[in-house]
Amino acid sequence: QVQLVESGGGLAQPGGSLRLSCAASGTIVSISGMGWYRQPPGKERELVARMNQGGDTAYADSVKGRFTISRDNAKNTVYLQMNNLKTEDTAVYYCYANVQEEYVTGFAEHWGQGTRVTVSS
């Protein structure tokens, strides 16, 4: 089985910073894409940022220039550095990873449990 465990959420003031981490563990052979989605209160889940195994990235327009995604392939971990936070960044943040497991053909998408980020003064 594969597990994704997130950490780093919490309360921040507008203009502040937080860093989220998400570590994948289990019978992992390979991970292709990793990334972050978020679900603001009362809204649908939306893509925040993603990165493929080669390092190519994509960001939501609302976070470009403020958020940076990175990953440590050796640790099966993806990070999201969030700077200049705004109140509209308040949401539950979920990480995902497309994982090839041992003895399983192909890649499957796995999700973390979510970590809450609240931006408020």
Side-chain angles (χ1 to χ4, degrees), residues 55-120:
D56 296 324
T57 60
Y59 294 90
D61 288 342
S62 59
V63 307
K64 283 180 181 177
R66 301 188 297 120
F67 291 11
T68 302
I69 188 172
S70 60
R71 61 190 279 181
D72 184 333
N73 292 329
K75 295 181 179 180
N76 292 331
T77 299
V78 63
Y79 306 95
L80 186 68
Q81 178 66 43
M82 305 186 293
N83 297 329
N84 191 20
L85 283 161
K86 303 178 180 181
T87 55
E88 51 263 43
D89 295 319
T90 295
V92 177
Y93 285 70
Y94 298 90
C95 71
Y96 78 89
N98 292 315
V99 179
Q100 182 181 19
E101 294 181 68
E102 196 173 21
Y103 308 122
V104 177
T105 300
F107 288 80
E109 194 169 78
H110 296 266
W111 290 84
Q113 79 284 358
T115 185
R116 186 173 301 275
V117 171
T118 302
V119 183
S120 175

Side-chain angles (χ1 to χ4, degrees), residues 35-46:
W36 296 89
Y37 277 71
R38 68 185 180 187
Q39 187 164 17
K43 297 184 179 180
E44 295 185 352
R45 193 176 295 192
E46 61 185 13

